[in-house]
Amino acid sequence: MIITVDGPAAAGKGTLSQNLAKKYGLAYFDTGMVYRAIGVMMLHSGRNLSDAVYAERLAGELTFAKMMALAEDKEFRSAKGGEAASIVSSYSGVRRKLLDMQRNFAFKPTFADGTPAKGVIYDGRDTGTVICPQATVKFFITAKPEVRAKRRFDEFAAKGQNTDFETVLKDVKARDERDATRKDAPMKPADDAYILDTSDMGIDEVFQKAVAIIEEKVR
Ligand code: C5P
């Protein structure tokens, strides 16, 4: 079984995906990690983030193992890392170079410890439209920008990262704009995606709704 969970920043894709992965015994691929890896490498290199040619070269050399190692970097989940990821993800060449790595995972999905899984759940903005259009079930998870910014803000605060709400909201809106207008794979729901607006829903309600849809679909 392949499930895709697309949608904008901080809509609740990660939480839903991980809960579904646990329930159905699926491997979990957070595709934002590939762009965060390139973003962090760009920051380490000292190059300007506008250097699309260099970013594309780094994307061509990225392996799964390298990505997992970079995930330990303190910038990886930071606001700065997210911003860098968002910028490099708008380069067509970068997206193209990272396609196979993401797609191939569905042919041999494994858990973090290397054991094989029965399927995969992809979390990311273009997973149902570009990475895995053949997925069994596709979701598009969204929420109002203010609600998403509040969730991101709370996450940063819980990790002790200093920021203010207005900055996070501005960042969420800037990312939405970049994601929706980039010419390569702009963010939009797949035609056959189930759209869930989580603005007024708790984590459990979203999960129960998604499970009901999956059960109906695979029955
Ligand atoms: O989901 P996350 O915040 O980790 O993603 C980091 C950035 O990578 C996003 O802001 C988005 O611009 C980009 N991204 C993307 N396509 C994906 C996943 C993430 O463009 N499938």
Side-chain angles (χ1 to χ4, degrees):
M1 175 155 71
I2 302 176
I3 299 175
T4 55
V5 181
D6 296 21
K13 302 190 295 291
T15 308
L16 175 64
S17 301
Q18 287 173 59
N19 288 341
L20 291 175
K22 214 177 288 166
K23 177 169 174 70
Y24 293 106
L26 304 173
Y28 170 54
F29 195 151
D30 168 7
T31 63
M33 288 179 74
V34 298
Y35 301 101
R36 283 181 184 266
I38 306 303
V40 167
M41 283 195 281
M42 287 297 280
L43 295 175
H44 286 176
S45 74
R47 300 259 180 161
N48 198 301
L49 288 168
S50 63
D51 190 342
V53 174
Y54 191 68
E56 187 177 329
R57 177 162 10 130
L58 293 175
E61 292 164 3
L62 188 71
T63 60
F64 209 85
K66 208 186 230 180
M67 179 182 84
M68 296 312 282
L70 282 162
E72 302 300 319
D73 191 283
K74 69 175 182 351
E75 296 287 30
F76 197 83
R77 291 281 167 202
S78 71
K80 200 169 157 199
E83 174 70 10
S86 172
I87 292 170
V88 298
S89 77
S90 68
Y91 303 143
S92 305
V94 167
R95 300 195 78 82
R96 205 170 42 244
K97 290 268 163 67
L98 295 170
L99 263 181
D100 285 349
M101 180 187 160
Q102 296 175 83
R103 284 184 174 154
N104 290 342
F105 191 77
F107 298 113
K108 217 179 156 197
T110 49
F111 294 110
D113 65 1
T115 54
K118 284 185 290 192
V120 55
I121 179 148
Y122 281 104
D123 159 357
R125 289 153 178 72
D126 62 346
T127 59
T129 49
V130 177
I131 305 298
C132 222
Q134 78 277 23
T136 327
V137 188
K138 300 177 189 176
F139 292 103
F140 188 88
I141 309 295
T142 188
K144 293 185 193 96
E146 290 71 17
V147 174
R148 290 186 282 122
K150 174 75 171 61
R151 290 176 187 162
R152 234 336 104 91
F153 174 78
D154 289 346
E155 268 169 39
F156 287 140
K159 283 190 223 154
Q161 289 176 11
N162 233 345
T163 183
D164 65 278
F165 178 74
E166 285 310 318
T167 306
V168 180
L169 179 60
K170 216 171 107 206
D171 178 55
V172 162
K173 287 184 173 170
R175 283 212 230 176
D176 283 358
E177 174 71 15
R178 259 200 301 271
D179 284 341
T181 56
R182 65 173 176 242
K183 63 178 183 344
D184 216 25
M187 184 179 63
K188 61 174 169 52
D191 291 340
D192 51 351
Y194 293 90
I195 299 174
L196 294 178
D197 186 326
T198 69
S199 300
D200 301 312
M201 279 196 246
I203 290 170
D204 199 50
E205 197 181 344
V206 179
F207 177 64
Q208 297 305 339
K209 276 220 158 78
V211 167
I213 290 168
I214 294 168
E215 306 285 322
E216 177 68 28
K217 183 94 186 183
V218 299
R219 190 147 31 107

